[in-house]
Amino acid sequence: MNDRDDRVSRRAIFGVGLGAVAMAATGGVVAATSSSEPEVGQRQARAGLWLRWWGNNSWEIRTKAGDGRERTVLIDPWLTRFHTGTYTKEGADPKTRIEVDTALIDRMVDSGELRADHILVTHGHYDHLTDVPYLAKKTGATVVGTETHVNLMLALGAPEEQLCVATGGEYLSFDGYTIRVLRSLHSASAPRGRVAFAGTRPAVPPKRPEYIRDLVEGGTLAYEVIADSGASVLDFGGSNYIESELAGLRPDVVLLPAGGGMVPDYVGRLLRTLGHPPYVVPTHWDDFDHSLFEPAKDWGGLEQLREAVTTASPASEFRVVDHLETLRT
């Protein structure tokens, strides 16, 4: 296999074929809710969460504890955004070197612009995990991820005492919020339903990763963060999920990646399972070769996601948040 064949295109990984999703949603499935499910339009968002988007699937979630102080949870924080060509026709070169913009992270943390009590890792790819070890050092945050994620972070210099291995199923209570860890799935890519940079790194840390191909998926997790007020947000790091893991969850906000072209009724099935959440906020829809400090540039999946959400759950508000903007429930 030559280097060109081995390049990874995010357009292929995430898929842009949401037309099938929209058609499935219009086939009468949305109306076929059980009597135990709320009718579309009945749910109201609970107050108590602030969400800020740092691009890609990087989210800052803030709430207040009983003492009135803010608590902050970060999901997949990746500020560096080094150039990969991921959304170009050629795709990302697996031999792209990993970079961490420590000056940028120092500036954001030292100024108080960014802080963290917990950092949650959905999977081990370069656009999700690269900055986490350094951010853990800077903030002292507890970091949650699979055994593979923890081993990759150890190899990148993360403080071992701050790392927490999760497998999915954990339900953990902290001061001001609760974290529910859910087993999930990464986006599949055409034509064989593969996962980009698949694999695990169990047992012991590998040698220090040098290239983006060294940061393997390593098992995918989803997270629900629940404020003491009851307000909750559910995040998926890839455009796929395990439906049975989500039964009974009623988040106020769903952070939903664009794509899902290989997943049958990707949007409709998810939103029905979650009881038609008040807010659906797109995530992982910007081309991260462009600056975080400019308006987000759609890689091509945003409008198809909007159409699928509007068709499947018309009472859910599809709220687009731009880089560094905040949504408050």
Side-chain angles (χ1 to χ4, degrees):
M1 180 178 290
N2 60 40
D3 289 347
R4 177 66 175 272
D5 293 336
D6 200 33
R7 283 178 178 262
V8 178
S9 170
R10 248 337 191 235
R11 287 179 175 271
I13 293 169
F14 281 93
V16 293
L18 279 167
V21 177
M23 285 191 291
T26 58
V29 183
V30 171
T33 55
S34 70
S35 59
S36 62
E37 290 294 328
E39 295 296 329
V40 177
Q42 287 185 345
R43 291 186 57 197
Q44 298 294 318
R46 292 160 289 192
L49 288 174
W50 293 259
L51 290 81
R52 181 160 58 161
W53 188 41
W54 290 78
N56 202 48
N57 191 51
S58 304
W59 287 93
E60 173 190 357
I61 302 169
R62 289 180 288 129
T63 189
K64 287 188 177 181
D67 59 7
R69 291 193 301 164
E70 281 193 349
R71 300 290 187 268
T72 304
V73 176
L74 302 181
I75 300 178
D76 291 347
W78 187 49
L79 281 65
T80 297
R81 294 168 71 98
F82 54 83
H83 188 275
T84 65
T86 295
Y87 295 109
T88 64
K89 182 179 179 181
E90 293 76 16
D93 183 350
K95 294 181 180 177
T96 301
R97 285 194 173 274
I98 295 167
E99 300 175 14
V100 177
D101 190 342
T102 58
L104 172 61
I105 294 172
D106 287 346
R107 185 167 72 250
M108 290 297 173
V109 175
D110 293 345
S111 68
E113 181 73 12
L114 186 65
R115 63 179 305 276
D117 296 291
H118 269 88
I119 299 175
L120 311 179
V121 176
T122 65
H123 61 281
H125 285 161
Y126 58 93
D127 53 327
H128 296 255
L129 182 138
T130 298
D131 284 351
V132 175
Y134 190 75
L135 269 165
K137 285 183 180 179
K138 287 290 297 184
T139 63
T142 299
V143 184
V144 180
T146 68
E147 181 181 12
T148 290
H149 307 156
V150 166
N151 281 332
L152 289 171
M153 288 188 285
L154 285 171
L156 288 166
E160 184 173 6
E161 67 276 9
Q162 293 174 223
L163 305 180
C164 177
V165 175
T167 60
E170 292 85 357
Y171 196 25
L172 307 169
S173 182
F174 301 97
D175 185 19
Y177 57 94
T178 299
I179 297 171
R180 191 193 301 264
V181 188
L182 303 158
R183 294 183 304 124
S184 195
L185 297 171
H186 190 272
S187 317
S189 60
R192 299 178 183 271
R194 296 175 296 109
V195 171
F197 303 133
T200 58
R201 298 293 182 266
V204 295
K207 68 177 184 178
R208 186 178 181 88
E210 294 183 60
Y211 307 105
I212 62 173
R213 67 183 181 189
D214 298 330
L215 292 177
V216 297
E217 178 259 347
T220 295
L221 300 172
Y223 295 95
E224 184 182 27
V225 179
I226 309 163
D228 284 352
S229 68
S232 68
V233 56
L234 178 62
D235 176 82
F236 299 93
S239 53
N240 205 348
Y241 49 85
I242 300 174
E243 188 173 350
S244 59
E245 286 282 292
L246 308 175
L249 298 189
R250 293 295 179 266
D252 298 284
V253 181
V254 175
L255 303 176
L256 184 60
M262 294 195 70
V263 180
D265 196 11
Y266 166 59
V267 172
R269 187 162 50 91
L270 175 67
L271 298 185
R272 291 190 298 274
T273 299
L274 297 175
H276 304 286
Y279 292 104
V280 178
V281 178
T283 186
H284 220 322
W285 61 269
D286 61 323
D287 183 343
F288 44 70
D289 278 347
H290 298 275
S291 173
L292 175 62
F293 302 101
E294 298 174 358
K297 297 184 183 297
D298 178 16
W299 58 255
L302 180 61
E303 291 310 311
Q304 293 183 67
L305 184 64
R306 184 197 304 272
E307 180 181 353
V309 170
T310 301
T311 302
S313 189
S316 297
E317 181 176 345
F318 187 78
R319 175 71 68 87
V320 179
V321 179
D322 208 338
H323 288 165
L324 304 179
E325 286 186 349
T326 298
L327 167 68
R328 179 174 178 174
T329 65

